[in-house]
Amino acid sequence: MLKLLVAVAFLFGVAAAGNFSKDVTINWGNGNGKILDGGKTVSLNLDKSTGSGFESNYEFLYGRFDVQMKLVPNNSAGTVTTFLDPQMASQGNSHDEIDLEFLGNASGQPYTLHTNIFAKGVGNREQQFRLWFDPTVAFHTYTIIWNSQRIIILVDNRPIRVFNNNEAKGVAFPNNQTMKVYASLWNADDWATQGGQVKTDWSKAPFTAYYRNYNADGCVVSASGNSCTNSTAGNQAWKTQGLDANGRKWIRWAQDKQMIYNYCTDAKRFPKPPGFPKECGLPRF
Ligand SMILES: *[C@@H]1O[C@H](CO)[C@@H](O)[C@H](O)[C@H]1NC(C)=O
Ligand SMILES: *[C@@H]1O[C@H](CO)[C@@H](O)[C@H](O)[C@H]1NC(C)=O
Ligand SMILES: *[C@@H]1O[C@H](CO)[C@@H](O)[C@H](O)[C@H]1NC(C)=O
Ligand SMILES: *[C@@H]1O[C@H](CO)[C@@H](O)[C@H](O)[C@H]1NC(C)=O
Ligand SMILES: *[C@@H]1O[C@H](CO)[C@@H](O)[C@H](O)[C@H]1NC(C)=O
């Protein structure tokens, strides 16, 4: 299952805008994915025959990844649009993944932003959010900051989720394998919208999502080496980034007011013993 990794830049005003022609490769879709405007925009189409997607040309071990997206408008039921689904380069049973998936809906009904974090093969860390704007009307910025201490997910520069490195307390954290950025638009009408009850309306196809201002300010790993020494852009402020007072204010707001599902409160899913995953008992931020 492909997912979405999105990164947003310009928080510190120094990062260069990426160029899709240089930074990514359309990796599936039989012509349904296109790089437009001299590398400034990507459009992904979904029709009955196939969805489409792109992946970053580089693999990263940590970084800040930003992208702006405009999602499928109107009746998007059954569709899933993703960004920064850094599906780990290392597949197999120890893979890592940070997911942002936008679950479409019937006309006039809200999208769901579905997030998950896999560390060393273990996922089941879903948190879902309602956005506080209509993500189909204009471009909005989606960001993942991934450093050795934490993962922060931001929407329009507001942190909505943080996953701390608690490896010392026995919680796996993605810190020893590179990831690529994957973005995609695909049909998931067996589960995505209202639990699979609302199907994709193919009479409205093709469905289109747009991406622009991709920026990966990360450590690039080349074929010859595996060290985190190079940044594609920017000042690497993400390397030590945490939450300041303002960030804590926004994440509290997002988690209290915008979150519609949290695995850490789903007791049915995690009966005792052993009960909830360990991180659920640790400080939230
Ligand atoms: C992006 O890169 C391509 C390929 O190198 C180049 O042709 C294009 O002019 C670049 N676009 C911009 C906006 O710099
Ligand atoms: C969305 O639906 C409205 C009403 O049916 C229509 O007027 C509009 O053109 C549609 N927008 C897009 C982008 O398809
Ligand atoms: C990362 O660590 C996990 C767990 O210790 C291990 O299974 C995996 O092979 C490691 N990956 C790499 C690339 O070293
Ligand atoms: C779609 O809209 C319904 C009704 O407002 C809502 O319950 C649901 O969470 C929305 N999102 C998805 C992905 O089904
Ligand atoms: C950083 O990595 C990019 C992509 O591999 C490469 O083109 C560039 O020369 C590298 N820069 C430095 C300073 O190593």
Side-chain angles (χ1 to χ4, degrees):
M1 201 190 311
L2 283 183
K3 284 133 197 170
L4 188 66
L5 169 66
V6 177
V8 178
F10 311 127
L11 185 58
F12 302 95
V14 295
N19 179 338
F20 282 116
S21 303
K22 295 181 172 151
D23 297 338
V24 311
T25 299
I26 303 285
N27 60 351
W28 67 291
N30 196 22
N32 269 357
K34 293 190 186 73
I35 298 178
L36 309 169
D37 306 335
K40 285 193 194 143
T41 307
V42 166
S43 69
L44 295 182
N45 270 0
L46 165 67
D47 61 26
K48 205 164 185 180
S49 69
T50 182
S52 52
F54 65 83
E55 67 181 68
S56 61
N57 291 336
Y58 296 118
E59 293 182 12
F60 301 96
L61 183 64
Y62 305 136
R64 176 181 174 119
F65 307 91
D66 296 89
V67 87
Q68 294 191 315
M69 297 171 60
K70 193 148 85 83
L71 303 180
V72 175
N74 286 348
N75 186 352
S76 58
T79 71
V80 173
T81 314
T82 67
F83 179 73
L84 195 91
D85 160 31
Q87 213 157 14
M88 295 329 283
S90 95
Q91 308 288 343
N93 51 16
S94 156
H95 90 287
D96 303 325
E97 195 174 305
I98 303 166
D99 298 327
L100 297 190
E101 300 185 330
F102 298 85
L103 312 184
N105 217 332
S107 258
Q109 301 301 315
Y111 266 79
T112 296
L113 170 54
H114 174 96
T115 68
N116 198 3
I117 291 166
F118 283 73
K120 297 177 177 154
V122 179
N124 298 325
R125 297 195 173 95
E126 297 87 354
Q127 288 186 352
Q128 295 185 335
F129 299 85
R130 279 277 174 269
L131 297 165
W132 50 97
F133 50 82
D134 181 344
T136 72
V137 173
F139 282 91
H140 290 267
T141 302
Y142 304 96
T143 304
I144 293 176
I145 292 171
W146 172 38
N147 62 35
S148 59
Q149 302 110 70
R150 62 190 68 81
I151 293 162
I152 310 173
I153 297 173
L154 303 95
V155 175
D156 286 339
N157 278 323
R158 295 179 183 180
I160 62 163
R161 178 171 190 180
V162 65
F163 183 73
N164 290 311
N165 184 343
N166 280 308
E167 211 153 56
K169 294 175 181 144
V171 182
F173 187 82
N175 54 7
N176 71 335
Q177 307 178 102
T178 59
M179 296 206 233
K180 274 193 176 193
V181 176
Y182 288 83
S184 58
L185 171 61
W186 43 290
N187 179 44
D189 69 0
D190 54 332
W191 62 271
T193 303
Q194 296 172 37
Q197 289 171 47
V198 184
K199 300 296 181 191
T200 303
D201 178 359
W202 293 111
S203 74
K204 302 289 186 317
F207 304 99
T208 308
Y210 294 94
Y211 296 74
R212 69 179 193 195
N213 284 334
Y214 169 76
N215 196 64
D217 176 10
C219 296
V220 173
V221 176
S222 71
S224 56
N226 200 4
S227 63
C228 178
T229 56
N230 184 2
S231 169
T232 48
N235 62 5
Q236 302 195 11
W238 54 267
K239 275 193 171 175
T240 54
Q241 194 159 333
L243 296 172
D244 58 11
N246 203 40
R248 278 194 299 276
K249 184 188 87 179
W250 282 123
I251 199 169
R252 205 167 280 128
W253 172 80
Q255 299 249 320
D256 292 347
K257 305 281 193 231
Q258 302 299 121
M259 189 160 62
I260 56 170
Y261 177 81
N262 181 6
Y263 73 110
C264 280
T265 59
D266 190 347
K268 271 201 210 115
R269 241 178 108 190
F270 299 104
K272 286 182 181 169
F276 287 111
K278 223 175 252 176
E279 68 273 14
C280 295
L282 298 171
R284 274 200 300 171
F285 314 132

